[in-house]
């Protein structure tokens, strides 16, 4: 399944701190495919003292139809992931293969896939939804049934929000602006650890190419701050707006924001002061937090540090 690739003439500097042997990596299956990139599930053999250990990882690479700019973009993504460093709530770089073949970024594997699909899979199957909010007199026994005998609770989804905020606080500290925050770009591990993905991507949100390559029919406008949509301005404050929409996705268990609103109507809708309604599983306090993220004036929005503090408190208060 590995496409043949004619190498472009790139001499990539060997960085012994990160370089892995290709022989230690076995591609297993394709997990994800974009227009120019793809991600495989893979086995990685690591040497721990004298013992060899096998671990599951993911390998990001380009497809056969890539051009020179795509290679440069993937190199930028590699550099950005090296620069940012490690955090529990981001997809960490494990190593790279840069020599004698196509560029591979070896990254952490998240068994549950993206958060949007995870939430959809774990929605209650019946209309008698018994995930009731504390403010509505929640009985501690009331829980949301999910497949495989697990039970998703109110506290779980507050924890998801908290973990995503922690990852974003870390990225903001590292001066990293994501530009495309959405539940589809958060990955979920087997242990339900939230990990922000694609934070190192070189993005030109405005180019038609970008949409063709990344969106798969999604309308990223619906996650974008007003000033990002109308003036192409991207800052930590525009990431905070998108995080508000991500919160809305979590507390609607992956609902679709602004259904029926066309892109060209969205700016008018938001300028008139309208916002998304409170999603079903959000408390009034959680909805207040979302609304704060959607302040028209970017300077009035909270930052990720205060969002983490607020969500930490709400997590402690939820049972
Ligand atoms: N899809 C894209 N990247 C992934 C990863 N790192 N783990 C699991 N699924 C993915």
């Amino acid at each position: 399944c590995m496409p043949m690739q004619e190498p472009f003439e790139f001499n990539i500097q060997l960085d012994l701190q990160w370089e892995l042997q290709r022989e230690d990596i076995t591609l297993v299956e394709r997990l994800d495919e974009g227009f120019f990139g793809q991600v495989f599930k893979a086995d990685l053999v690591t040497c721990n003292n004298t013992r060899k250990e096998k671990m599951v990882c993911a390998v990001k690479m380009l497809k056969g139809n890539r051009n020179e700019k795509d290679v440069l973009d993937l190199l930028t993504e590699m550099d950005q992931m090296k620069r940012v460093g490690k955090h529990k709530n981001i997809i960490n770089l494990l190593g790279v293969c840069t020599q004698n073949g196509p560029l591979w970024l070896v990254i952490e594997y998240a068994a549950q896939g993206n958060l949007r699909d995870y939430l959809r899979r774990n929605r209650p199957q019946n209309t008698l939804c018994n995930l009731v909010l504390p403010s509505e007199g929640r009985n501690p026994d009331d829980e949301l049934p999910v497949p495989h005998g697990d039970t998703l609770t109110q506290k779980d989804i507050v924890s998801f929000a908290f973990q995503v905020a922690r990852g974003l606080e870390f990225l903001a500290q590292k001066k990293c602006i994501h530009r495309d925050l959405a539940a589809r770009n958060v990955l979920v591990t087997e242990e339900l650890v939230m990990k922000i993905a694609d934070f190192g991507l070189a993005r030109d949100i405005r180019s038609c190419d970008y949409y063709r390559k990344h969106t798969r029919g999604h309308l990223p406008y619906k996650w974008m701050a007003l000033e990002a949509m109308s003036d192409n301005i991207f800052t930590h404050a525009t990431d905070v707006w998108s995080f508000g929409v991500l919160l809305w996705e979590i507390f609607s268990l992956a609902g679709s924001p602004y259904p029926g609103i066309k892109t060209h109507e969205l700016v008018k809708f938001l300028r008139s002061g309208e916002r998304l309604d409170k999603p079903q599983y959000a408390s009034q306090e959680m909805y207040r937090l979302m609304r704060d993220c959607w302040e028209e004036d970017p300077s009035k929005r909270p930052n990720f540090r205060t969002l983490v503090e607020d969500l930490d408190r709400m997590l402690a208060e939820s049972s």
Side-chain angles (χ1 to χ4, degrees):
C1 54
M2 264 285 297
M4 288 297 290
Q5 293 187 340
E6 283 302 319
F8 289 109
E9 290 306 312
F10 283 110
N11 270 323
I12 305 171
Q13 175 81 48
L14 177 62
D15 181 347
L16 287 173
Q17 211 189 315
W18 289 97
E19 194 72 18
L20 297 171
Q21 299 295 320
R22 279 182 209 277
E23 304 79 69
D24 292 338
I25 299 164
T26 312
L27 302 182
V28 177
E29 61 175 326
R30 185 150 68 187
L31 293 167
D32 207 357
E33 181 181 10
F35 187 74
F36 74 105
Q38 53 190 343
V39 178
F40 283 80
K41 182 179 180 178
D43 289 324
L44 170 66
V45 177
T46 55
C47 229
N48 227 343
N49 299 324
T50 49
R51 276 208 0 255
K52 282 201 166 183
E53 278 175 32
K54 206 168 88 171
M55 69 179 284
V56 181
C57 65
V59 179
K60 191 166 186 170
M61 68 183 82
L62 296 168
K63 298 202 300 193
N65 62 351
R66 85 229 185 284
N67 61 34
E68 208 161 311
K69 182 172 178 300
D70 297 328
V71 182
L72 289 171
D73 283 350
L74 192 61
L75 280 169
T76 303
E77 184 172 1
M78 173 186 77
D79 287 339
Q80 179 82 338
M81 292 183 90
K82 287 182 185 178
R83 184 187 69 78
V84 160
K86 293 201 185 299
H87 189 273
K88 184 176 184 186
N89 298 117
I90 67 174
I91 287 285
N92 289 291
L93 186 66
L94 301 175
V96 296
C97 298
T98 62
Q99 313 290 312
N100 311 316
L103 175 58
W104 286 0
L105 305 193
V106 182
I107 58 178
E108 286 176 322
Y109 171 70
Q112 299 277 3
N114 77 63
L115 178 58
R116 183 171 188 273
D117 294 344
Y118 172 82
L119 292 170
R120 292 212 160 194
R121 276 202 309 278
N122 292 300
R123 276 177 176 177
Q125 280 100 339
N126 48 39
T127 49
L128 274 177
C129 172
N130 55 9
L131 184 104
V132 183
L133 294 166
S135 59
E136 292 160 8
R138 181 173 177 268
N139 177 332
D141 297 330
D142 284 345
E143 286 169 330
L144 187 70
V146 296
H148 10 266
D150 288 338
T151 310
L152 196 60
T153 64
Q154 185 70 33
K155 195 178 177 103
D156 288 331
I157 59 176
V158 177
S159 165
F160 296 170
F162 170 69
Q163 293 182 54
V164 172
R166 283 270 280 240
L168 293 170
E169 179 191 30
F170 172 77
L171 289 174
Q173 276 169 7
K174 300 290 176 176
K175 309 261 182 281
C176 178
I177 299 170
H178 191 292
R179 294 183 170 83
D180 197 11
L181 287 174
R184 62 182 175 273
N185 286 327
V186 174
L187 294 174
V188 182
T189 72
E190 192 58 50
E191 294 78 29
L192 305 190
V193 176
M194 302 294 121
K195 286 181 172 280
I196 295 156
D198 291 340
F199 55 86
L201 227 61
R203 289 188 175 86
D204 185 356
I205 287 270
R206 275 308 174 107
S207 91
C208 300
D209 233 28
Y210 178 80
Y211 291 122
R212 204 158 43 93
K213 286 173 178 175
H214 296 274
T215 61
R216 279 198 242 113
H218 287 297
L219 284 174
Y221 289 111
K222 294 188 170 179
W223 281 260
M224 281 161 81
L226 261 169
E227 73 273 19
M229 248 187 295
S230 53
D231 304 319
N232 199 22
I233 295 170
F234 291 89
T235 61
H236 295 302
T238 60
D239 270 359
V240 167
W241 178 298
S242 306
F243 175 70
V245 183
L246 206 166
L247 281 180
W248 186 92
E249 290 183 277
I250 292 175
F251 290 92
S252 61
L253 300 183
S256 296
Y258 316 100
I261 296 189
K262 302 251 168 41
T263 301
H264 66 275
E265 298 164 343
L266 191 57
V267 174
K268 209 164 65 182
F269 179 85
L270 294 170
R271 283 249 188 269
S272 74
E274 301 244 39
R275 294 294 183 269
L276 288 162
D277 290 334
K278 186 179 90 61
Q280 188 177 0
Y281 302 109
S283 63
Q284 286 299 340
E285 194 185 16
M286 189 62 75
Y287 185 52
R288 184 71 253 156
L289 212 61
M290 294 176 207
R291 296 293 298 233
D292 291 345
C293 294
W294 303 326
E295 282 283 351
E296 180 155 3
D297 178 352
S299 70
K300 291 200 181 133
R301 294 173 206 155
N303 60 33
F304 284 117
R305 187 181 46 78
T306 65
L307 285 166
V308 166
E309 282 170 12
D310 288 341
L311 288 165
D312 195 13
R313 186 176 35 74
M314 287 189 222
L315 184 58
E317 285 164 6
S318 67
S319 49

